[in-house]
Amino acid sequence: MDGDARGPDWAAIREAYEGRGETIPQIAERHGLKPWAVSRRARLDGWLGRNTMRKVDRARIIGRMFGLLDRQLVQVENGMKDAGDKEVALLGNMARTLEKLIALETAEQPKDERGGARDMKALRRSLADRIDRLKRG
């Protein structure tokens, strides 16, 4: 037990809890507590949730969105006769979402690293052209 006669070392327990390196039962056992006691203290004191994300990887999300858009565009292009307004509208919405993500990513990049933004804009234009061709049939 890491605590002494005064009780558990809640600062150390919180650090372990928010660090996510151990499970709650492991933390509890190491500090001589029951898992429910650790969970209760975390809830009452407002510790960071164990399932929250600390930082979003926008570049990874943008890459996944491009991949998803590309696969869906290929599917729609291959089944051009079956593509309806619903599919084209979905692709348009996805392209707008992607555009917003790219704008966020570009705004956060230092000015000297924004050359990649031109590449992203070219890809975005290419996707927009493909969607326009689909709309026209």
Side-chain angles (χ1 to χ4, degrees):
M1 180 166 167
D2 286 344
D4 54 21
R6 294 178 302 214
D9 182 356
W10 288 110
I13 296 168
R14 179 179 186 165
E15 186 175 326
Y17 179 92
E18 291 180 343
R20 294 173 179 74
E22 299 175 275
T23 65
I24 293 173
Q26 289 170 332
I27 296 168
E29 183 178 343
R30 187 161 53 87
H31 290 275
L33 299 168
K34 299 286 184 193
W36 64 262
V38 174
S39 296
R40 181 174 184 269
R41 183 68 176 246
R43 188 179 76 259
L44 291 174
D45 288 356
W47 296 354
L48 289 176
R50 293 182 63 83
N51 294 324
T52 58
M53 291 176 40
R54 293 185 188 254
K55 186 166 180 355
V56 174
D57 185 354
R58 285 193 185 103
R60 189 173 137 265
I61 292 171
I62 290 170
R64 289 179 60 202
M65 283 289 293
F66 268 121
L68 180 61
L69 270 172
D70 189 52
R71 285 189 302 276
Q72 288 193 326
L73 283 169
V74 168
Q75 286 177 352
V76 171
E77 286 172 344
N78 289 340
M80 208 60 154
K81 295 175 186 169
D82 301 329
D85 292 338
K86 187 169 129 181
E87 288 83 4
V88 173
L90 174 65
L91 292 172
N93 287 336
M94 289 178 66
R96 282 189 293 282
T97 300
L98 181 60
E99 187 173 350
K100 290 176 186 176
L101 287 170
I102 292 169
L104 285 171
E105 183 67 17
T106 302
E108 287 193 2
Q109 289 179 347
K111 287 184 180 182
D112 59 338
E113 293 179 14
R114 291 188 183 177
R118 283 189 290 273
D119 296 336
M120 296 294 251
K121 287 179 183 179
L123 285 170
R124 186 175 59 219
R125 274 193 303 276
S126 171
L127 286 171
D129 290 344
R130 287 172 72 181
I131 290 171
D132 284 342
R133 283 195 307 272
L134 288 171
K135 283 181 182 179
R136 284 183 254 135

